Amino acid sequence: MEKITLVCMGHEPDLSAHLILAAKPYKIDVEVVDILRDKADLEFKRDSDAKVAVKDGELVIERFYPMNLLQKLSMQKEAVDDWRELTESILIDWNYDGAVLQPEVVDIPEKKTDLVIGRYKVPADAGTIRVKITDLLSESWEGNVTNG
């Protein structure tokens, strides 16, 4: 059985039944979420955003905005003084094969008061660099940076 969540603004009370009937012979479970009626329970997930670059032989994380964490804290990204305060860890694979992250740099502060570094010397043999940044909610952003 497939589960479908339908998000709408206003709907007929029998919408779910009509969709289930229309899908026959396939069996579906339909959840109808009405943003006008259910807005107190509604929470949209947003992807994190980051800017990572190689500058002067260093991998530099210029910014990181964990959008779901900011939403939970009721903060706008402009209100973030230091992105590192919202970051739990940074993993870096200097030669990413396109499939499996094999971090050679694991930046996880030992104490809660410490912050991740955010700047890392790029090895001479680095190829495609894969970066994984995890926020305090354990949600992460991943992206590639080309060396050179």
Side-chain angles (χ1 to χ4, degrees), residues 7-49:
V7 180
C8 59
M9 290 181 66
H11 70 283
E12 297 297 323
D14 59 351
L15 177 61
S16 178
H18 276 293
L19 291 172
I20 291 168
L21 187 62
K24 286 194 183 278
Y26 304 103
K27 293 186 181 201
I28 60 171
D29 176 17
V30 179
E31 175 190 16
V32 178
V33 178
D34 190 321
I35 62 175
L36 299 176
R37 186 190 69 211
D38 305 321
K39 62 183 161 201
D41 303 326
L42 214 55
E43 190 173 297
F44 289 102
K45 293 281 185 190
R46 297 171 61 195
D47 290 336
S48 295
D49 180 31

